[in-house]
Each structure stands twice: as C-alpha cells, then as structure tokens.
Amino acid sequence: VLWVRGCRRGCPGCLSPESWSPEGPESSLDEVVDWVLACPGVQGLTLSGGEPMDQAPALAALVDRVRARRDLGVVCYTGYRLEELVEVEHTALLRRVDLLIDGPYRVAEHGDFLWRGSANQRLIAVTPRYRSHLPAPSQDRGAGLEFRLLADGRFSFSGVPPWAGYREHLLGDGRR
C-alpha cells in the first residue's frame, strides 16, 4: 500500500487522518518505483491516503513506471464517487486502475465489508483483473486485520477495522 499525503475531503472518522496534511517527507518518483518493486512477492499496488485523486497525474506516472517493469494490479481508494472523476486530471489515473473503491467514508454507515469501511463505498472493477475477487452481496464481509510489530516497538495494521471508532479502541484516547 502506498499511502499518499494530502486530502481536501477530510471525512469524519477517516482511517488515516494523519495523511490529510500535504506536509511531510517527500520521495522522488524513482525512489517510490524502486520501493514498490523491491517489496518481496508484491502482486499489486494499492493507492490510499490521503486522497490519491488529489495527486492523479503523479500517480498515473508512477503506475506507468512500475508497469513498465512488472505487470502489477492497481487498486485505488478515493473519497470521490466515480461519477465525480470526470475531470481530465483524474482520468489519467482512473484509466490505470483495475479496482476502484469509491465514496467518502461515513461513520453512520460503517460496517464489516470487504476492503471498505462504510456501506456507501463501492467496489468497482474498472478492468477484468479483479472482477472475480468481488464478493456476492451475501458474502460481502471484511477480510480481517493483519497486525505487524515494527522494529521500533510500534505496530501497524492492514485492513479495514470492522467497528466504527477504531482509533478510540486501539489508541484508547481518541488521538488523531
């Protein structure tokens, strides 16, 4: 997962509000491409954030550079709805995405869904690549969480927590 910085949407209850600010360390396109391709066993690239569509031209270039060296699938999370992504700046990235998870996160609609946090968010197979991975409505359940202990004693997790207010549960103090 490539977590980008910067989000103009700021959905209440967001999974990663730390990524809203565009300020922070920067990496060159070459550094990010090398990092993605150095990940052992990587089969795809997931773009999350922040808001990937706020950086659509740069991420389209990243996908092109990665795919020039390896055929990886691309999944993209966005707070925009597909119907909103008609601007030219978004089109370049959208044409490179295999699976789009669209729509703003809504705390009131939180649920245990596959790859997303709220009922309004959609799994849209833009290409056939992941179409067979999409669940039937009766089997649309979260894939669980994967936790990792980092070398510095902190932990990270992958996945979407099955409960609203996960930050309060995990951090205990509601920090952002």
Side-chain angles (χ1 to χ4, degrees), residues 16-52:
S16 61
E18 299 85 359
S19 66
W20 291 354
S21 170
E23 304 301 319
E26 293 186 18
S27 300
S28 72
L29 191 57
D30 287 335
E31 289 172 320
V32 178
V33 169
D34 290 344
W35 173 78
V36 169
L37 295 173
C39 294
V42 68
Q43 296 177 1
L45 173 61
T46 298
L47 305 173
S48 193
E51 176 52 65

mmCIF file of all heavy atoms in Angstrom, residues 16-52:
data_model
loop_
_atom_site.group_PDB
_atom_site.id
_atom_site.type_symbol
_atom_site.label_atom_id
_atom_site.label_comp_id
_atom_site.label_asym_id
_atom_site.label_seq_id
_atom_site.Cartn_x
_atom_site.Cartn_y
_atom_site.Cartn_z
ATOM 1 N N SER A 16 -7.201 7.284 8.289
ATOM 2 C CA SER A 16 -5.841 7.827 8.374
ATOM 3 C C SER A 16 -5.811 9.357 8.315
ATOM 4 O O SER A 16 -5.279 9.930 7.369
ATOM 5 C CB SER A 16 -4.968 7.242 7.264
ATOM 6 O OG SER A 16 -5.502 7.582 6.005
ATOM 7 N N PRO A 17 -6.348 10.026 9.316
ATOM 8 C CA PRO A 17 -6.347 11.492 9.285
ATOM 9 C C PRO A 17 -4.939 12.093 9.314
ATOM 10 O O PRO A 17 -4.763 13.235 8.906
ATOM 11 C CB PRO A 17 -7.154 11.886 10.528
ATOM 12 C CG PRO A 17 -7.043 10.708 11.436
ATOM 13 C CD PRO A 17 -6.982 9.512 10.522
ATOM 14 N N GLU A 18 -3.947 11.320 9.722
ATOM 15 C CA GLU A 18 -2.566 11.802 9.695
ATOM 16 C C GLU A 18 -2.115 12.123 8.276
ATOM 17 O O GLU A 18 -1.164 12.876 8.073
ATOM 18 C CB GLU A 18 -1.600 10.756 10.289
ATOM 19 C CG GLU A 18 -1.859 10.400 11.717
ATOM 20 C CD GLU A 18 -2.911 9.296 11.891
ATOM 21 O OE1 GLU A 18 -3.476 8.799 10.903
ATOM 22 O OE2 GLU A 18 -3.168 8.947 13.044
ATOM 23 N N SER A 19 -2.794 11.556 7.304
ATOM 24 C CA SER A 19 -2.390 11.745 5.910
ATOM 25 C C SER A 19 -3.073 12.937 5.244
ATOM 26 O O SER A 19 -2.821 13.212 4.081
ATOM 27 C CB SER A 19 -2.685 10.475 5.107
ATOM 28 O OG SER A 19 -4.077 10.251 5.041
ATOM 29 N N TRP A 20 -3.916 13.658 5.946
ATOM 30 C CA TRP A 20 -4.631 14.786 5.338
ATOM 31 C C TRP A 20 -3.705 15.925 4.953
ATOM 32 O O TRP A 20 -3.877 16.544 3.917
ATOM 33 C CB TRP A 20 -5.694 15.327 6.285
ATOM 34 C CG TRP A 20 -6.854 14.415 6.520
ATOM 35 C CD1 TRP A 20 -7.110 13.214 5.899
ATOM 36 C CD2 TRP A 20 -7.904 14.610 7.448
ATOM 37 N NE1 TRP A 20 -8.260 12.667 6.395
ATOM 38 C CE2 TRP A 20 -8.779 13.500 7.341
ATOM 39 C CE3 TRP A 20 -8.203 15.611 8.359
ATOM 40 C CZ2 TRP A 20 -9.921 13.378 8.114
ATOM 41 C CZ3 TRP A 20 -9.351 15.488 9.122
ATOM 42 C CH2 TRP A 20 -10.200 14.379 8.997
ATOM 43 N N SER A 21 -2.741 16.219 5.790
ATOM 44 C CA SER A 21 -1.842 17.341 5.510
ATOM 45 C C SER A 21 -0.893 16.965 4.375
ATOM 46 O O SER A 21 -0.329 15.874 4.373
ATOM 47 C CB SER A 21 -1.018 17.692 6.752
ATOM 48 O OG SER A 21 -0.009 18.616 6.413
ATOM 49 N N PRO A 22 -0.683 17.869 3.438
ATOM 50 C CA PRO A 22 0.278 17.573 2.371
ATOM 51 C C PRO A 22 1.727 17.708 2.841
ATOM 52 O O PRO A 22 2.640 17.335 2.131
ATOM 53 C CB PRO A 22 -0.050 18.613 1.301
ATOM 54 C CG PRO A 22 -0.670 19.735 2.045
ATOM 55 C CD PRO A 22 -1.388 19.131 3.222
ATOM 56 N N GLU A 23 1.922 18.236 4.042
ATOM 57 C CA GLU A 23 3.271 18.422 4.577
ATOM 58 C C GLU A 23 3.851 17.099 5.042
ATOM 59 O O GLU A 23 3.142 16.244 5.549
ATOM 60 C CB GLU A 23 3.238 19.401 5.758
ATOM 61 C CG GLU A 23 2.632 20.741 5.426
ATOM 62 C CD GLU A 23 3.362 21.470 4.299
ATOM 63 O OE1 GLU A 23 4.606 21.438 4.279
ATOM 64 O OE2 GLU A 23 2.683 22.042 3.435
ATOM 65 N N GLY A 24 5.141 16.953 4.877
ATOM 66 C CA GLY A 24 5.805 15.744 5.341
ATOM 67 C C GLY A 24 6.931 15.370 4.423
ATOM 68 O O GLY A 24 7.234 16.078 3.458
ATOM 69 N N PRO A 25 7.563 14.255 4.705
ATOM 70 C CA PRO A 25 8.688 13.827 3.869
ATOM 71 C C PRO A 25 8.244 13.550 2.442
ATOM 72 O O PRO A 25 7.126 13.103 2.209
ATOM 73 C CB PRO A 25 9.192 12.560 4.551
ATOM 74 C CG PRO A 25 8.112 12.137 5.463
ATOM 75 C CD PRO A 25 7.247 13.315 5.756
ATOM 76 N N GLU A 26 9.108 13.861 1.523
ATOM 77 C CA GLU A 26 8.816 13.611 0.116
ATOM 78 C C GLU A 26 9.778 12.571 -0.432
ATOM 79 O O GLU A 26 10.907 12.447 0.025
ATOM 80 C CB GLU A 26 8.941 14.901 -0.688
ATOM 81 C CG GLU A 26 7.896 15.925 -0.335
ATOM 82 C CD GLU A 26 7.930 17.143 -1.236
ATOM 83 O OE1 GLU A 26 8.511 17.063 -2.336
ATOM 84 O OE2 GLU A 26 7.369 18.163 -0.827
ATOM 85 N N SER A 27 9.312 11.844 -1.406
ATOM 86 C CA SER A 27 10.136 10.850 -2.097
ATOM 87 C C SER A 27 10.056 11.135 -3.583
ATOM 88 O O SER A 27 9.018 11.561 -4.088
ATOM 89 C CB SER A 27 9.619 9.436 -1.827
ATOM 90 O OG SER A 27 9.647 9.142 -0.452
ATOM 91 N N SER A 28 11.140 10.853 -4.272
ATOM 92 C CA SER A 28 11.132 11.027 -5.726
ATOM 93 C C SER A 28 10.368 9.869 -6.363
ATOM 94 O O SER A 28 10.182 8.812 -5.756
ATOM 95 C CB SER A 28 12.564 11.061 -6.264
ATOM 96 O OG SER A 28 13.135 9.764 -6.199
ATOM 97 N N LEU A 29 9.949 10.082 -7.586
ATOM 98 C CA LEU A 29 9.266 9.030 -8.326
ATOM 99 C C LEU A 29 10.149 7.788 -8.429
ATOM 100 O O LEU A 29 9.685 6.664 -8.231
ATOM 101 C CB LEU A 29 8.868 9.550 -9.711
ATOM 102 C CG LEU A 29 7.923 8.695 -10.528
ATOM 103 C CD1 LEU A 29 6.630 8.419 -9.786
ATOM 104 C CD2 LEU A 29 7.628 9.359 -11.854
ATOM 105 N N ASP A 30 11.441 7.979 -8.693
ATOM 106 C CA ASP A 30 12.372 6.844 -8.779
ATOM 107 C C ASP A 30 12.420 6.069 -7.469
ATOM 108 O O ASP A 30 12.420 4.832 -7.471
ATOM 109 C CB ASP A 30 13.785 7.314 -9.132
ATOM 110 C CG ASP A 30 13.915 7.747 -10.580
ATOM 111 O OD1 ASP A 30 13.125 7.284 -11.425
ATOM 112 O OD2 ASP A 30 14.819 8.555 -10.866
ATOM 113 N N GLU A 31 12.455 6.780 -6.335
ATOM 114 C CA GLU A 31 12.510 6.114 -5.028
ATOM 115 C C GLU A 31 11.258 5.280 -4.782
ATOM 116 O O GLU A 31 11.350 4.149 -4.298
ATOM 117 C CB GLU A 31 12.658 7.146 -3.902
ATOM 118 C CG GLU A 31 14.007 7.813 -3.853
ATOM 119 C CD GLU A 31 14.053 8.963 -2.869
ATOM 120 O OE1 GLU A 31 13.063 9.739 -2.790
ATOM 121 O OE2 GLU A 31 15.078 9.087 -2.169
ATOM 122 N N VAL A 32 10.109 5.817 -5.125
ATOM 123 C CA VAL A 32 8.866 5.088 -4.887
ATOM 124 C C VAL A 32 8.764 3.881 -5.811
ATOM 125 O O VAL A 32 8.385 2.788 -5.377
ATOM 126 C CB VAL A 32 7.639 6.012 -5.028
ATOM 127 C CG1 VAL A 32 6.350 5.233 -4.828
ATOM 128 C CG2 VAL A 32 7.707 7.162 -4.030
ATOM 129 N N VAL A 33 9.115 4.053 -7.072
ATOM 130 C CA VAL A 33 9.101 2.919 -8.013
ATOM 131 C C VAL A 33 10.026 1.818 -7.509
ATOM 132 O O VAL A 33 9.637 0.635 -7.464
ATOM 133 C CB VAL A 33 9.501 3.368 -9.439
ATOM 134 C CG1 VAL A 33 9.755 2.170 -10.339
ATOM 135 C CG2 VAL A 33 8.436 4.275 -10.038
ATOM 136 N N ASP A 34 11.235 2.169 -7.118
ATOM 137 C CA ASP A 34 12.183 1.171 -6.609
ATOM 138 C C ASP A 34 11.650 0.481 -5.359
ATOM 139 O O ASP A 34 11.795 -0.733 -5.198
ATOM 140 C CB ASP A 34 13.542 1.815 -6.323
ATOM 141 C CG ASP A 34 14.275 2.220 -7.589
ATOM 142 O OD1 ASP A 34 13.903 1.751 -8.690
ATOM 143 O OD2 ASP A 34 15.223 3.037 -7.477
ATOM 144 N N TRP A 35 11.012 1.254 -4.464
ATOM 145 C CA TRP A 35 10.457 0.684 -3.230
ATOM 146 C C TRP A 35 9.357 -0.330 -3.565
ATOM 147 O O TRP A 35 9.341 -1.432 -3.022
ATOM 148 C CB TRP A 35 9.913 1.797 -2.333
ATOM 149 C CG TRP A 35 9.181 1.281 -1.147
ATOM 150 C CD1 TRP A 35 9.710 0.765 0.007
ATOM 151 C CD2 TRP A 35 7.752 1.200 -0.996
ATOM 152 N NE1 TRP A 35 8.703 0.379 0.861
ATOM 153 C CE2 TRP A 35 7.495 0.637 0.268
ATOM 154 C CE3 TRP A 35 6.682 1.561 -1.809
ATOM 155 C CZ2 TRP A 35 6.200 0.420 0.739
ATOM 156 C CZ3 TRP A 35 5.392 1.344 -1.336
ATOM 157 C CH2 TRP A 35 5.171 0.778 -0.077
ATOM 158 N N VAL A 36 8.438 0.038 -4.446
ATOM 159 C CA VAL A 36 7.341 -0.867 -4.815
ATOM 160 C C VAL A 36 7.898 -2.153 -5.389
ATOM 161 O O VAL A 36 7.507 -3.260 -4.997
ATOM 162 C CB VAL A 36 6.375 -0.195 -5.819
ATOM 163 C CG1 VAL A 36 5.406 -1.208 -6.414
ATOM 164 C CG2 VAL A 36 5.613 0.955 -5.161
ATOM 165 N N LEU A 37 8.834 -2.033 -6.311
ATOM 166 C CA LEU A 37 9.357 -3.225 -6.989
ATOM 167 C C LEU A 37 10.271 -4.063 -6.100
ATOM 168 O O LEU A 37 10.491 -5.240 -6.370
ATOM 169 C CB LEU A 37 10.082 -2.810 -8.267
ATOM 170 C CG LEU A 37 9.154 -2.186 -9.327
ATOM 171 C CD1 LEU A 37 9.964 -1.644 -10.495
ATOM 172 C CD2 LEU A 37 8.100 -3.175 -9.788
ATOM 173 N N ALA A 38 10.777 -3.490 -5.017
ATOM 174 C CA ALA A 38 11.636 -4.230 -4.091
ATOM 175 C C ALA A 38 10.840 -5.018 -3.056
ATOM 176 O O ALA A 38 11.400 -5.863 -2.355
ATOM 177 C CB ALA A 38 12.591 -3.273 -3.382
ATOM 178 N N CYS A 39 9.549 -4.769 -2.940
ATOM 179 C CA CYS A 39 8.724 -5.486 -1.965
ATOM 180 C C CYS A 39 8.622 -6.948 -2.385
ATOM 181 O O CYS A 39 8.160 -7.239 -3.494
ATOM 182 C CB CYS A 39 7.329 -4.864 -1.870
ATOM 183 S SG CYS A 39 7.299 -3.199 -1.198
ATOM 184 N N PRO A 40 9.037 -7.865 -1.514
ATOM 185 C CA PRO A 40 9.020 -9.285 -1.899
ATOM 186 C C PRO A 40 7.602 -9.792 -2.121
ATOM 187 O O PRO A 40 6.699 -9.521 -1.337
ATOM 188 C CB PRO A 40 9.677 -9.991 -0.711
ATOM 189 C CG PRO A 40 9.633 -9.029 0.420
ATOM 190 C CD PRO A 40 9.508 -7.657 -0.153
ATOM 191 N N GLY A 41 7.418 -10.494 -3.211
ATOM 192 C CA GLY A 41 6.140 -11.121 -3.508
ATOM 193 C C GLY A 41 5.012 -10.170 -3.862
ATOM 194 O O GLY A 41 3.864 -10.589 -3.929
ATOM 195 N N VAL A 42 5.322 -8.913 -4.095
ATOM 196 C CA VAL A 42 4.263 -7.949 -4.391
ATOM 197 C C VAL A 42 3.568 -8.333 -5.697
ATOM 198 O O VAL A 42 4.204 -8.670 -6.681
ATOM 199 C CB VAL A 42 4.798 -6.502 -4.427
ATOM 200 C CG1 VAL A 42 5.716 -6.268 -5.601
ATOM 201 C CG2 VAL A 42 3.672 -5.495 -4.463
ATOM 202 N N GLN A 43 2.230 -8.326 -5.660
ATOM 203 C CA GLN A 43 1.437 -8.656 -6.836
ATOM 204 C C GLN A 43 0.618 -7.476 -7.322
ATOM 205 O O GLN A 43 0.036 -7.522 -8.391
ATOM 206 C CB GLN A 43 0.505 -9.818 -6.529
ATOM 207 C CG GLN A 43 1.235 -11.090 -6.199
ATOM 208 C CD GLN A 43 0.259 -12.193 -5.826
ATOM 209 O OE1 GLN A 43 -0.953 -12.033 -5.832
ATOM 210 N NE2 GLN A 43 0.803 -13.341 -5.491
ATOM 211 N N GLY A 44 0.557 -6.445 -6.477
ATOM 212 C CA GLY A 44 -0.240 -5.292 -6.851
ATOM 213 C C GLY A 44 0.146 -4.079 -6.042
ATOM 214 O O GLY A 44 0.914 -4.164 -5.089
ATOM 215 N N LEU A 45 -0.405 -2.973 -6.438
ATOM 216 C CA LEU A 45 -0.153 -1.695 -5.787
ATOM 217 C C LEU A 45 -1.502 -1.120 -5.385
ATOM 218 O O LEU A 45 -2.399 -0.983 -6.214
ATOM 219 C CB LEU A 45 0.556 -0.749 -6.761
ATOM 220 C CG LEU A 45 0.771 0.690 -6.323
ATOM 221 C CD1 LEU A 45 1.637 0.760 -5.077
ATOM 222 C CD2 LEU A 45 1.397 1.488 -7.468
ATOM 223 N N THR A 46 -1.642 -0.808 -4.101
ATOM 224 C CA THR A 46 -2.852 -0.165 -3.601
ATOM 225 C C THR A 46 -2.516 1.276 -3.282
ATOM 226 O O THR A 46 -1.553 1.549 -2.563
ATOM 227 C CB THR A 46 -3.386 -0.881 -2.351
ATOM 228 O OG1 THR A 46 -3.730 -2.222 -2.695
ATOM 229 C CG2 THR A 46 -4.617 -0.172 -1.796
ATOM 230 N N LEU A 47 -3.302 2.191 -3.819
ATOM 231 C CA LEU A 47 -3.118 3.623 -3.585
ATOM 232 C C LEU A 47 -4.163 4.071 -2.578
ATOM 233 O O LEU A 47 -5.364 3.888 -2.795
ATOM 234 C CB LEU A 47 -3.283 4.393 -4.896
ATOM 235 C CG LEU A 47 -2.391 3.938 -6.052
ATOM 236 C CD1 LEU A 47 -2.774 4.656 -7.337
ATOM 237 C CD2 LEU A 47 -0.926 4.156 -5.706
ATOM 238 N N SER A 48 -3.698 4.634 -1.483
ATOM 239 C CA SER A 48 -4.597 5.099 -0.440
ATOM 240 C C SER A 48 -4.034 6.382 0.121
ATOM 241 O O SER A 48 -3.082 6.943 -0.405
ATOM 242 C CB SER A 48 -4.740 4.013 0.645
ATOM 243 O OG SER A 48 -5.827 4.300 1.502
ATOM 244 N N GLY A 49 -4.607 6.865 1.173
ATOM 245 C CA GLY A 49 -4.062 8.121 1.689
ATOM 246 C C GLY A 49 -4.789 8.627 2.896
ATOM 247 O O GLY A 49 -5.375 7.846 3.628
ATOM 248 N N GLY A 50 -4.729 9.876 2.866
ATOM 249 C CA GLY A 50 -4.808 10.989 1.945
ATOM 250 C C GLY A 50 -5.813 10.673 0.824
ATOM 251 O O GLY A 50 -6.652 9.797 0.934
ATOM 252 N N GLU A 51 -5.697 11.460 -0.206
ATOM 253 C CA GLU A 51 -6.584 11.312 -1.364
ATOM 254 C C GLU A 51 -5.764 11.139 -2.626
ATOM 255 O O GLU A 51 -5.214 12.102 -3.157
ATOM 256 C CB GLU A 51 -7.511 12.520 -1.487
ATOM 257 C CG GLU A 51 -8.408 12.516 -2.705
ATOM 258 C CD GLU A 51 -9.204 11.232 -2.872
ATOM 259 O OE1 GLU A 51 -10.053 10.940 -2.025
ATOM 260 O OE2 GLU A 51 -8.968 10.519 -3.872
ATOM 261 N N PRO A 52 -5.646 9.896 -3.132
ATOM 262 C CA PRO A 52 -4.862 9.668 -4.344
ATOM 263 C C PRO A 52 -5.297 10.530 -5.535
ATOM 264 O O PRO A 52 -4.458 10.979 -6.311
ATOM 265 C CB PRO A 52 -5.080 8.181 -4.630
ATOM 266 C CG PRO A 52 -5.350 7.591 -3.285
ATOM 267 C CD PRO A 52 -6.147 8.641 -2.557
#
